[in-house]
Amino acid sequence: MIRRRHVFHVGGYDPITPEQQVERLRRSLSSFDRIWGTSSRLSEISNTSAIDASCNVEAWGPNWKTSITFEMLRWDDLIRCDSKVGLVPRLVQSVRALFDFIITGTLFRYAIASWKYALFFVFPYCCLLLIALCSVGLSYLVIGPLHATLWVELLLGIFLSLAIFVSAVLWIGPKRRINHILDDAIFSHEFLYGRRSELDARLDDFAELIAKRAQAAKVDEILIVGHSLGAALTIAAVARALKLDPLLETRGPKLCILTVGATIPKFALHPMGGQIREAAQLVAGTTAIDWVEYQARDDAISFYRFDPVTLKRTSRDYSGEHPKIRRVQIHSMISPIRFRRHRFDFMQIHYQFLMGNDQRSVYDYCMITCGPLEFDVATSPSGAVGLFEANGSVMIARS
């Protein structure tokens, strides 16, 4: 069993602060304790910097105890900078990104790989088009009864349509995450074309931290968790760490990778995504590293039944080897009432991979990150189900 574990967490394109992440982990651990009969204790953030922040977790049952250092690798400051971009630059850059993804055939490849993700990608653009059409329609209704000359009506129509469009986007954009998804598209486009030097520097920092912890941490297991777009950054950072320290895979504690709600193909399917494709192949080819990816049909903001390394659709019985691909159902993690309530709340479903469950399930974020089972056991096809008594004691201990 695992007595000490170091967990790295790389979040997706979400400006969540370390304090918010810790609060989410606190709520998740509360659910974990209730479901599995365990006990846990979470500290406040004890160490923070521009690139990382840490807290400590203790989880235990009658016959086990695990201590976890939970280290968040930060890039939320870069995301917040993106959110400060003005309306006009955001619209211009996002449209430029859309045309690039269309011209390069990437959007078409998204549709083949995951039609749900393709719809998610074009969602904000469809919203903008709908707002534009409504703006023109409303301006026509206002100007029509004036019976002015053609040129006056045309000029007034353009001015009023633009005013309505801008007002609507400024009001609706933040509320419906339209701005956020557009920023995501802009970021992805710029990253693919090497225009994100600050992120490249941050990935180098992440790689150095991973290599340093692997060499010095006195733990049984190092687990790196990448969620959503953060999964691609995780693979990129680990690949860089392997280049920094070619012996990384064999020295020190076992190195494991967990990718959930992953969007690695978002970059890998683009002609300019060579960096991510090479990183995924390097990490997958390093057999000493355990890489497991969980995919869920209900998660529209990811690629379901799609191998992030071979970039091919997979069959229902395909489980992969490097990485191991596990297909799970969100409704098996949460209560029927909660599932019905959030069925079409795509962000809530997407983030369930990082939240506490309502019932024991083969996938449980807290069990994998904070439980006593080794990574290959906790991420086996049956997970921890059947290995724990009602009082939280381990029935089968593997070392």
Side-chain angles (χ1 to χ4, degrees):
M1 287 193 291
I2 301 297
R3 291 179 174 81
R4 292 191 59 83
R5 178 185 292 114
H6 192 105
V7 177
F8 289 104
H9 175 86
V10 184
Y13 193 83
D14 188 353
I16 183 172
T17 64
E19 290 76 16
Q20 291 172 315
Q21 288 195 54
V22 169
E23 183 56 33
R24 181 174 62 197
L25 180 59
R26 192 183 306 279
R27 294 194 302 269
S28 298
L29 286 170
S30 177
S31 298
F32 175 62
D33 292 343
R34 184 179 69 255
I35 295 166
W36 297 92
T38 61
S39 299
S40 63
R41 182 185 302 114
L42 174 64
S43 74
E44 299 298 327
I45 295 176
S46 57
N47 181 41
T48 184
S49 71
I51 63 173
D52 70 329
S54 301
C55 64
N56 297 307
V57 182
E58 285 186 334
W60 65 90
N63 61 347
W64 62 273
K65 184 175 183 180
T66 304
S67 298
I68 306 97
T69 299
F70 192 86
E71 185 170 3
M72 296 155 277
L73 299 181
R74 303 181 57 184
W75 62 298
D76 52 292
D77 57 322
L78 306 182
I79 303 171
R80 278 193 293 275
C81 286
D82 291 347
S83 67
K84 297 176 182 178
V85 173
L87 175 61
V88 174
R90 175 178 286 118
L91 292 178
V92 171
Q93 293 175 43
S94 61
V95 170
R96 182 189 303 151
L98 175 63
F99 276 117
D100 177 80
F101 279 83
I102 292 174
I103 292 171
T104 59
T106 305
L107 185 57
F108 176 72
R109 286 187 283 274
Y110 286 171
I112 295 175
S114 172
W115 64 268
K116 289 183 179 179
Y117 187 83
L119 288 179
F120 168 76
F121 185 86
V122 301
F123 166 75
Y125 297 101
C126 292
C127 290
L128 290 177
L129 179 60
L130 180 60
I131 293 172
L133 292 174
C134 291
S135 300
V136 173
L138 286 173
S139 65
Y140 175 79
L141 291 175
V142 172
I143 296 172
L146 297 179
H147 301 295
T149 63
L150 177 61
W151 286 107
V152 171
E153 287 186 355
L154 183 61
L155 291 174
L156 285 175
I158 293 174
F159 176 79
L160 187 57
S161 296
L162 285 174
I164 295 173
F165 176 79
V166 170
S167 299
V169 172
L170 290 175
W171 178 57
I172 298 174
K175 293 178 180 294
R176 298 300 178 186
R177 282 185 174 264
I178 294 174
N179 291 355
H180 183 74
I181 303 175
L182 289 175
D183 290 343
D184 187 322
I186 295 169
F187 162 81
S188 301
H189 180 248
E190 292 182 342
F191 179 68
L192 283 165
Y193 283 90
R195 300 172 190 153
R196 285 283 176 157
S197 57
E198 70 278 15
L199 182 63
D200 272 326
R202 193 64 55 92
L203 288 175
D204 287 338
D205 292 335
F206 291 172
E208 290 180 9
L209 281 175
I210 292 170
K212 180 180 178 181
R213 299 289 187 266
Q215 295 170 10
K218 296 180 180 179
V219 296
D220 303 313
E221 187 175 88
I222 292 179
L223 171 59
I224 310 170
V225 181
H227 176 251
S228 193
L229 193 151
L233 302 188
T234 293
I235 298 305
V238 172
R240 296 184 187 203
L242 286 170
K243 292 176 181 178
L244 280 176
D245 182 4
L247 300 178
L248 179 67
E249 59 179 300
T250 55
R251 74 169 73 190
K254 180 72 174 178
L255 188 61
C256 310
I257 299 174
L258 173 69
T259 52
V260 290
T263 59
I264 297 171
K266 176 176 187 173
F267 299 107
L269 288 172
H270 193 284
M272 296 298 293
Q275 176 188 165
I276 297 300
R277 289 193 295 272
E278 293 171 6
Q281 290 166 5
L282 174 60
V283 174
T286 307
T287 55
I289 297 177
D290 278 352
W291 177 10
V292 177
E293 173 159 306
Y294 281 88
Q295 302 175 352
R297 180 180 57 194
D298 296 312
D299 181 14
I301 313 176
S302 65
F303 289 78
Y304 177 65
R305 287 178 53 196
F306 196 78
D307 192 307
V309 177
T310 64
L311 299 178
K312 294 180 180 179
R313 291 279 296 169
T314 62
S315 62
R316 293 185 181 278
D317 58 351
Y318 178 83
S319 60
E321 186 60 32
H322 299 289
K324 297 184 181 73
I325 297 177
R326 308 283 188 226
R327 286 176 297 282
V328 292
Q329 303 297 333
I330 300 296
H331 61 73
S332 71
M333 306 177 199
I334 59 180
S335 68
I337 294 176
R338 188 175 164 204
F339 181 75
R340 286 194 298 270
R341 183 189 308 135
H342 299 296
R343 177 68 180 84
F344 299 106
D345 185 345
F346 300 130
M347 286 296 179
Q348 180 72 25
I349 294 295
H350 187 53
Y351 277 90
Q352 183 56 44
F353 279 115
L354 302 179
M355 299 164 65
N357 293 345
D358 296 331
Q359 54 204 17
R360 293 190 178 192
S361 175
V362 295
Y363 175 81
D364 190 295
Y365 175 70
C366 290
M367 177 58 73
I368 296 172
T369 57
C370 302
L373 303 178
E374 295 180 357
F375 183 72
D376 61 341
V377 177
T379 59
S380 65
S382 58
V385 175
L387 300 183
F388 276 75
E389 298 281 5
N391 67 353
S393 61
V394 179
M395 297 169 58
I396 301 175
R398 302 181 188 180
S399 59

mmCIF file of all heavy atoms in Angstrom, residues 26 32 37 74 89 96 114 138 199 228 267 272 302 306 327 337 377 390:
data_model
loop_
_atom_site.group_PDB
_atom_site.id
_atom_site.type_symbol
_atom_site.label_atom_id
_atom_site.label_comp_id
_atom_site.label_asym_id
_atom_site.label_seq_id
_atom_site.Cartn_x
_atom_site.Cartn_y
_atom_site.Cartn_z
ATOM 1 N N ARG A 26 -11.413 20.035 -0.573
ATOM 2 C CA ARG A 26 -11.988 19.837 0.756
ATOM 3 C C ARG A 26 -13.401 19.238 0.654
ATOM 4 O O ARG A 26 -13.740 18.301 1.380
ATOM 5 C CB ARG A 26 -12.020 21.166 1.513
ATOM 6 C CG ARG A 26 -12.327 21.037 2.996
ATOM 7 C CD ARG A 26 -12.418 22.410 3.650
ATOM 8 N NE ARG A 26 -11.233 23.217 3.395
ATOM 9 C CZ ARG A 26 -10.097 23.102 4.067
ATOM 10 N NH1 ARG A 26 -10.001 22.214 5.040
ATOM 11 N NH2 ARG A 26 -9.068 23.887 3.777
ATOM 12 N N PHE A 32 -15.684 11.746 -0.175
ATOM 13 C CA PHE A 32 -14.841 10.550 -0.141
ATOM 14 C C PHE A 32 -14.973 9.828 1.202
ATOM 15 O O PHE A 32 -15.158 8.602 1.260
ATOM 16 C CB PHE A 32 -13.394 10.970 -0.400
ATOM 17 C CG PHE A 32 -12.382 9.875 -0.293
ATOM 18 C CD1 PHE A 32 -12.416 8.781 -1.132
ATOM 19 C CD2 PHE A 32 -11.351 9.952 0.650
ATOM 20 C CE1 PHE A 32 -11.461 7.772 -1.055
ATOM 21 C CE2 PHE A 32 -10.398 8.960 0.740
ATOM 22 C CZ PHE A 32 -10.457 7.865 -0.106
ATOM 23 N N GLY A 37 -16.092 5.391 3.941
ATOM 24 C CA GLY A 37 -15.921 5.137 5.368
ATOM 25 C C GLY A 37 -14.557 5.511 5.881
ATOM 26 O O GLY A 37 -14.123 5.023 6.941
ATOM 27 N N ARG A 74 0.808 25.916 -11.435
ATOM 28 C CA ARG A 74 -0.065 27.054 -11.759
ATOM 29 C C ARG A 74 0.216 27.673 -13.128
ATOM 30 O O ARG A 74 1.367 27.838 -13.515
ATOM 31 C CB ARG A 74 0.091 28.141 -10.689
ATOM 32 C CG ARG A 74 -0.195 27.696 -9.280
ATOM 33 C CD ARG A 74 -0.043 28.847 -8.317
ATOM 34 N NE ARG A 74 -0.920 29.985 -8.692
ATOM 35 C CZ ARG A 74 -0.924 31.145 -8.049
ATOM 36 N NH1 ARG A 74 -0.091 31.344 -7.033
ATOM 37 N NH2 ARG A 74 -1.746 32.111 -8.430
ATOM 38 N N PRO A 89 -10.396 43.064 -30.051
ATOM 39 C CA PRO A 89 -9.289 42.118 -30.249
ATOM 40 C C PRO A 89 -9.724 40.661 -30.060
ATOM 41 O O PRO A 89 -9.272 39.781 -30.796
ATOM 42 C CB PRO A 89 -8.269 42.534 -29.179
ATOM 43 C CG PRO A 89 -8.574 43.963 -28.899
ATOM 44 C CD PRO A 89 -10.062 44.085 -29.032
ATOM 45 N N ARG A 96 -10.007 34.714 -36.482
ATOM 46 C CA ARG A 96 -8.783 34.268 -37.153
ATOM 47 C C ARG A 96 -8.475 32.814 -36.777
ATOM 48 O O ARG A 96 -8.117 32.000 -37.641
ATOM 49 C CB ARG A 96 -7.625 35.168 -36.758
ATOM 50 C CG ARG A 96 -6.300 34.813 -37.444
ATOM 51 C CD ARG A 96 -5.162 35.611 -36.842
ATOM 52 N NE ARG A 96 -5.432 37.045 -36.955
ATOM 53 C CZ ARG A 96 -4.977 37.950 -36.098
ATOM 54 N NH1 ARG A 96 -4.271 37.562 -35.046
ATOM 55 N NH2 ARG A 96 -5.245 39.223 -36.284
ATOM 56 N N SER A 114 -14.597 13.371 -32.508
ATOM 57 C CA SER A 114 -15.639 13.539 -31.487
ATOM 58 C C SER A 114 -16.575 14.656 -31.939
ATOM 59 O O SER A 114 -16.242 15.840 -31.799
ATOM 60 C CB SER A 114 -15.013 13.884 -30.128
ATOM 61 O OG SER A 114 -16.013 14.220 -29.184
ATOM 62 N N LEU A 138 -33.571 43.333 -34.847
ATOM 63 C CA LEU A 138 -34.117 44.340 -33.939
ATOM 64 C C LEU A 138 -33.943 45.751 -34.503
ATOM 65 O O LEU A 138 -34.843 46.597 -34.399
ATOM 66 C CB LEU A 138 -33.428 44.235 -32.572
ATOM 67 C CG LEU A 138 -33.841 43.051 -31.700
ATOM 68 C CD1 LEU A 138 -32.960 42.974 -30.462
ATOM 69 C CD2 LEU A 138 -35.311 43.166 -31.309
ATOM 70 N N LEU A 199 4.102 30.628 -21.801
ATOM 71 C CA LEU A 199 3.662 29.283 -21.436
ATOM 72 C C LEU A 199 4.786 28.277 -21.648
ATOM 73 O O LEU A 199 4.954 27.342 -20.855
ATOM 74 C CB LEU A 199 2.429 28.874 -22.244
ATOM 75 C CG LEU A 199 1.879 27.489 -21.885
ATOM 76 C CD1 LEU A 199 1.400 27.455 -20.436
ATOM 77 C CD2 LEU A 199 0.755 27.081 -22.815
ATOM 78 N N SER A 228 -8.514 18.234 -18.658
ATOM 79 C CA SER A 228 -8.931 19.036 -19.797
ATOM 80 C C SER A 228 -7.706 19.460 -20.625
ATOM 81 O O SER A 228 -6.866 18.629 -20.976
ATOM 82 C CB SER A 228 -9.737 20.240 -19.311
ATOM 83 O OG SER A 228 -10.416 20.881 -20.362
ATOM 84 N N PHE A 267 -4.810 19.623 -29.836
ATOM 85 C CA PHE A 267 -3.563 20.100 -30.404
ATOM 86 C C PHE A 267 -2.982 19.097 -31.397
ATOM 87 O O PHE A 267 -2.491 19.471 -32.456
ATOM 88 C CB PHE A 267 -2.541 20.361 -29.298
ATOM 89 C CG PHE A 267 -2.964 21.403 -28.316
ATOM 90 C CD1 PHE A 267 -3.355 21.059 -27.030
ATOM 91 C CD2 PHE A 267 -2.977 22.738 -28.664
ATOM 92 C CE1 PHE A 267 -3.748 22.014 -26.124
ATOM 93 C CE2 PHE A 267 -3.364 23.715 -27.761
ATOM 94 C CZ PHE A 267 -3.758 23.349 -26.484
ATOM 95 N N MET A 272 0.055 21.823 -36.976
ATOM 96 C CA MET A 272 1.134 22.436 -36.214
ATOM 97 C C MET A 272 1.303 21.819 -34.827
ATOM 98 O O MET A 272 2.063 22.331 -34.011
ATOM 99 C CB MET A 272 0.882 23.941 -36.074
ATOM 100 C CG MET A 272 0.895 24.705 -37.392
ATOM 101 S SD MET A 272 2.492 24.611 -38.237
ATOM 102 C CE MET A 272 3.524 25.532 -37.097
ATOM 103 N N SER A 302 -14.376 16.793 -24.277
ATOM 104 C CA SER A 302 -13.238 15.881 -24.319
ATOM 105 C C SER A 302 -13.421 14.968 -25.525
ATOM 106 O O SER A 302 -14.381 15.113 -26.283
ATOM 107 C CB SER A 302 -13.142 15.060 -23.021
ATOM 108 O OG SER A 302 -14.266 14.218 -22.888
ATOM 109 N N PHE A 306 -11.262 7.769 -28.109
ATOM 110 C CA PHE A 306 -10.252 8.257 -29.039
ATOM 111 C C PHE A 306 -8.890 8.161 -28.370
ATOM 112 O O PHE A 306 -8.712 8.653 -27.253
ATOM 113 C CB PHE A 306 -10.557 9.709 -29.436
ATOM 114 C CG PHE A 306 -9.805 10.171 -30.650
ATOM 115 C CD1 PHE A 306 -10.201 9.796 -31.921
ATOM 116 C CD2 PHE A 306 -8.680 10.988 -30.519
ATOM 117 C CE1 PHE A 306 -9.512 10.219 -33.053
ATOM 118 C CE2 PHE A 306 -7.982 11.414 -31.639
ATOM 119 C CZ PHE A 306 -8.389 11.030 -32.912
ATOM 120 N N ARG A 327 -12.979 3.656 -19.928
ATOM 121 C CA ARG A 327 -14.234 4.348 -20.202
ATOM 122 C C ARG A 327 -15.154 4.197 -18.998
ATOM 123 O O ARG A 327 -15.383 3.079 -18.529
ATOM 124 C CB ARG A 327 -14.891 3.799 -21.474
ATOM 125 C CG ARG A 327 -14.189 4.248 -22.736
ATOM 126 C CD ARG A 327 -14.797 3.620 -23.976
ATOM 127 N NE ARG A 327 -14.647 2.173 -23.973
ATOM 128 C CZ ARG A 327 -13.518 1.546 -24.285
ATOM 129 N NH1 ARG A 327 -12.450 2.248 -24.622
ATOM 130 N NH2 ARG A 327 -13.451 0.233 -24.256
ATOM 131 N N ILE A 337 -30.520 11.935 -9.126
ATOM 132 C CA ILE A 337 -31.091 13.286 -9.043
ATOM 133 C C ILE A 337 -30.062 14.311 -9.497
ATOM 134 O O ILE A 337 -30.373 15.223 -10.280
ATOM 135 C CB ILE A 337 -31.556 13.585 -7.603
ATOM 136 C CG1 ILE A 337 -32.725 12.671 -7.214
ATOM 137 C CG2 ILE A 337 -31.944 15.049 -7.455
ATOM 138 C CD1 ILE A 337 -33.173 12.828 -5.782
ATOM 139 N N VAL A 377 -3.530 -0.388 -9.197
ATOM 140 C CA VAL A 377 -4.682 -1.052 -8.580
ATOM 141 C C VAL A 377 -5.893 -0.116 -8.582
ATOM 142 O O VAL A 377 -7.002 -0.503 -8.961
ATOM 143 C CB VAL A 377 -4.357 -1.499 -7.144
ATOM 144 C CG1 VAL A 377 -5.592 -2.134 -6.481
ATOM 145 C CG2 VAL A 377 -3.200 -2.488 -7.140
ATOM 146 N N ALA A 390 -16.988 -1.526 4.710
ATOM 147 C CA ALA A 390 -17.859 -0.387 4.961
ATOM 148 C C ALA A 390 -17.218 0.608 5.916
ATOM 149 O O ALA A 390 -17.493 1.817 5.854
ATOM 150 C CB ALA A 390 -19.202 -0.847 5.499
#
